[in-house]
């Protein structure tokens, strides 16, 4: 059944912000970043990773996000919502068994409340921090998304290298620093080999290659340590590295309905 394992790259539009919000010490010019999310098909059940931006933010950016929309503005259409894009690619939202959240920032909670049969997996530290965030980080968590009714949460208690199906195909590695409970996802595919979804542990290859720090983080020390750890993981299994919001690298990847298998 391994021929059923495939990785699809999707996008819910872009966010417009200033360069300094992405690259610490950067300029005040406008900077657009893609908002990726992913689907993994697996014989034991399909898995959505993050789901991008909630569709409500396309309909009413300031109403749904509040003041943070003055800093990070969602440039997306309602059709970009993850459920619509998933259906367009031929998938049934009812078949999604798990949603994995790298973390719970506003551009990673698009799946919340949209997949009735899915368990939502997140690190407990992230879930708790979303509810108790410091003043400088609180704007990044939209509680209207996280508290949607009917979400079945499965909280990982400080677990590293959590193997979703026990077969090594989808393995979650703690990578804090961008947020306290951030995790990155290694996907091991039958033909394409390993793909490391770094997510926001490194927005761009500038962060991945230690050229600059990201424009948002909760701990610079943890951010640097997580990149070091993930680079070692990627090197060990020669993984294809996918950075989180990288306007230069993102166009080079295959997008749904194309896939990696
Ligand atoms: Zn984030």
């Amino acid at each position: 059944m391994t021929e059923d394992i495939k990785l699809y790259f999707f996008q819910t539009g872009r966010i417009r912000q200033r360069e300094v919000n992405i690259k610490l010490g950067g300029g005040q010019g406008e900077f657009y970043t893609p908002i990726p999310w992913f689907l993994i098909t697996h014989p034991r059940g399909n898995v959505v990773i993050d789901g991008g931006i909630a569709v409500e933010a396309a309909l009413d950016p300031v109403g749904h996000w509040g003041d943070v929309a003055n800093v990070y503005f969602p440039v997306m259409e309602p059709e970009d919502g993850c459920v619509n894009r998933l259906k367009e690619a031929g998938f049934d939202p009812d078949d999604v068994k798990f949603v994995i959240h790298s973390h719970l920032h506003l551009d990673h909670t698009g799946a919340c409340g949209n997949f009735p049969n899915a368990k939502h997996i997140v690190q407990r530290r992230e879930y708790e921090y979303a509810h108790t965030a410091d003043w400088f980080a609180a704007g990044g968590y939209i509680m209207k998304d996280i508290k949607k009714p009917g979400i079945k949460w499965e909280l990982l208690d400080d677990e590293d290298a959590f193997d979703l199906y026990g077969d090594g195909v989808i393995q979650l590695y703690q990578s804090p620093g961008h947020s306290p409970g951030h995790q990155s996802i290694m996907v091991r595919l039958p033909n394409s080999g390993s793909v490391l979804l770094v997510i926001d542990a490194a927005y761009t290859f500038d962060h991945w290659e230690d050229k600059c720090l990201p424009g948002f983080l909760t701990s610079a020390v943890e951010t640097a340590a997580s990149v070091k750890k993930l680079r070692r993981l990627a090197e060990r299994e020669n993984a294809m590295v996918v950075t989180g919001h990288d306007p230069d690298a993102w166009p080079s990847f295959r997008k749904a309905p194309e896939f990696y298998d």
Side-chain angles (χ1 to χ4, degrees):
M1 289 292 281
T2 50
E3 67 272 18
D4 290 328
I5 297 171
K6 293 173 184 165
L7 169 64
Y8 294 82
F9 287 42
F10 290 88
Q11 178 176 1
T12 52
R14 297 179 297 165
I15 284 184
R16 184 183 69 225
Q17 64 255 295
R18 296 186 188 282
E19 185 193 47
V20 69
N21 296 121
I22 295 297
K23 302 185 184 205
L24 199 68
Q28 293 293 320
E30 280 189 349
F31 196 84
Y32 286 83
T33 44
I35 308 301
W37 62 278
F38 306 89
L39 171 75
I40 303 161
T41 59
H42 188 283
R44 291 180 51 199
N46 293 346
V47 178
V48 163
I49 296 173
D50 287 346
I53 298 172
V55 73
E56 291 88 336
L59 300 167
D60 183 6
V62 176
H64 194 62
W65 279 8
D67 289 345
V68 76
N70 297 323
V71 181
Y72 302 97
F73 191 84
V75 182
M76 64 180 282
E77 300 299 327
E79 309 88 84
D80 291 328
C82 65
V83 173
N84 184 56
R85 292 292 184 224
L86 203 68
K87 285 181 178 167
E88 275 181 357
F91 299 100
D92 184 346
D94 288 348
D95 292 340
V96 175
K97 190 169 180 185
F98 291 101
V99 174
I100 292 168
H101 291 279
S102 59
H103 64 310
L104 294 174
H105 281 164
L106 75 192
D107 49 338
H108 299 264
T109 50
C112 284
N114 289 320
F115 298 103
N117 300 322
K119 269 191 182 158
H120 289 242
I121 297 181
V122 67
Q123 290 284 333
R124 181 182 296 278
R125 190 178 301 155
E126 182 70 11
Y127 184 83
E128 290 179 350
Y129 188 73
H131 290 77
T132 57
D134 291 293
W135 64 270
F136 64 89
Y141 295 102
I142 305 302
M143 299 316 291
K144 279 178 283 191
D145 291 342
I146 297 166
K147 290 185 171 179
K148 278 181 185 166
I151 301 177
K152 289 170 280 202
W153 291 104
E154 182 173 330
L155 307 180
L156 301 179
D157 287 305
D158 202 22
E159 282 176 68
D160 197 23
F162 177 79
D163 184 345
L164 182 67
Y165 285 127
D167 57 3
V169 171
I170 302 166
Q171 201 160 8
L172 315 183
Y173 291 93
Q174 291 180 307
S175 49
H178 171 69
S179 70
H182 190 281
Q183 56 188 352
S184 303
I185 299 98
M186 184 73 85
V187 186
R188 298 187 181 92
L189 298 167
N191 298 309
S192 305
S194 297
V195 180
L196 180 58
L197 307 176
V198 172
I199 319 282
D200 290 1
Y203 287 151
T204 70
F205 272 93
D206 278 355
H207 305 148
W208 182 254
E209 293 164 355
D210 291 347
K211 289 177 184 159
C212 77
L213 283 167
F216 182 84
L217 37 73
T218 53
S219 163
V221 173
E222 284 188 333
T223 294
S226 289
V227 168
K228 200 171 165 186
K229 167 186 173 174
L230 293 171
R231 272 203 311 254
R232 199 166 56 233
L233 275 170
E235 280 163 17
R236 195 168 69 194
E237 48 192 284
N238 195 25
M240 180 173 86
V241 173
V242 183
T243 43
H245 298 289
D246 195 327
D248 298 320
W250 182 246
S252 68
F253 299 111
R254 279 175 221 155
K255 307 299 182 326
E258 290 183 64
F259 54 82
Y260 293 88
D261 65 358

